[in-house]
Amino acid sequence: MYLTRFRINTARIGARRLLSTPQVLHAAVMSSFAEVPTQAGERARVLWRIDHNNKADVVLYIVSPDRPDLTHLVEQAGWPTTARWETFDYTRFLKRLTIGDTWAFRLTANPVHSIRRKDGEPTKRTAHLTPHHQMRWLLDRQDASGFAILEKPAERRLLPEGDTYELVVRDQRSLSFAKAGQGSSRGSRVKLTTVTFDGRLRVTDPDAFRRVLAMGLGKAKAYGCGLMTLAPVR
């Protein structure tokens, strides 16, 4: 597995096109591989995420089973003569994870749930729209995903309730774009809501956690959701 980091030059026309829809960016990411990535004879999952740190600092992260070649992105949306991209051996890092490790994390996800408006109707996938329910969506998945989000000490909690965890929900985005090759008809559009989670966690099941880091968490992975990255706790 490989983790790749590429900073996008937002001043370039190619960058604006690249960031126009997740559909365009997904195609650009998949073009980074000469062959379709596979694992055990089947098509492998490639995860990616865009971090909008500020207007001039936009970073693309990719987790993939094969090493990508981002030459086309450098030429279209980078700094061809002064900056390229960084790729790291992710497998070695994943193997070192152990129970009790604590990390700061970032995750962009598509928090959804299935509801039935009337008896007898099929369920419909619907986005969570409030920070409370979006946070609950992630908390409900932590046990099966091999991690536990850290709780704040009582003296650091600003509210009597609802401020329990080392977790922030931010940057909610409502996206709507046409599916590839289907024009712009209303019926062929993809609509999804994404949010970014920043927080701190403790590893409880290294094997399950490795699967999440390699395979993603939640829906809409092809559209930039599900990739969790880690950083040392400061």
Side-chain angles (χ1 to χ4, degrees), residues 131-226:
H132 171 78
H133 288 100
Q134 291 161 349
M135 186 179 296
R136 177 49 53 187
W137 174 90
L138 182 59
L139 293 171
D140 287 345
R141 282 155 180 77
Q142 59 182 342
D143 289 345
S145 299
F147 66 89
I149 297 174
L150 299 182
E151 294 189 13
K152 292 181 180 179
E155 64 272 15
R156 289 185 50 216
R157 298 178 188 179
L158 303 179
L159 302 173
E161 54 184 298
D163 190 35
T164 305
Y165 296 95
E166 297 274 8
L167 182 62
V168 175
V169 184
R170 63 176 181 82
D171 200 20
Q172 178 169 310
R173 295 169 180 259
S174 296
L175 306 175
S176 177
F177 51 93
K179 289 185 179 180
Q182 297 189 22
S184 58
S185 62
R186 184 173 300 176
S188 65
R189 296 191 70 79
V190 176
K191 295 183 179 181
L192 59 105
T193 297
T194 69
V195 297
T196 296
F197 298 95
D198 284 327
R200 296 183 178 186
L201 59 76
R202 182 180 65 258
V203 179
T204 57
D205 182 337
D207 288 337
F209 192 45
R210 290 185 191 104
R211 286 194 295 271
V212 166
L213 294 177
M215 302 300 294
L217 182 62
K219 305 293 185 181
K221 297 183 182 72
Y223 301 129
C225 296

Side-chain angles (χ1 to χ4, degrees), residues 8-21 24 76-77:
I8 295 174
N9 183 350
T10 56
R12 301 191 65 179
I13 294 176
R16 292 194 285 272
R17 179 183 179 277
L18 190 68
L19 297 171
S20 61
T21 71
V24 172
Q76 298 170 24

Side-chain angles (χ1 to χ4, degrees), residues 76-130:
Q76 298 170 24
W79 288 266
T81 63
T82 59
R84 296 183 65 77
W85 66 89
E86 300 171 288
T87 296
F88 307 94
D89 182 347
Y90 206 33
T91 300
R92 185 165 55 182
F93 170 79
L94 295 177
K95 287 181 177 179
R96 293 201 302 263
L97 293 172
T98 59
I99 292 176
D101 287 352
T102 57
W103 296 94
F105 74 90
R106 176 169 292 176
L107 166 71
T108 293
N110 170 224
V112 296
H113 62 134
S114 295
I115 62 172
R116 180 179 286 110
R117 299 184 185 279
K118 296 180 181 179
D119 291 341
E121 286 188 351
T123 59
K124 181 180 180 181
R125 189 180 296 168
T126 305
H128 287 300
L129 298 178
T130 67

Side-chain angles (χ1 to χ4, degrees), residues 57-70:
D57 186 13
V58 178
V59 179
L60 168 66
Y61 289 93
I62 302 172
V63 167
S64 57
D66 300 332
R67 184 183 291 271
D69 183 341
L70 305 189

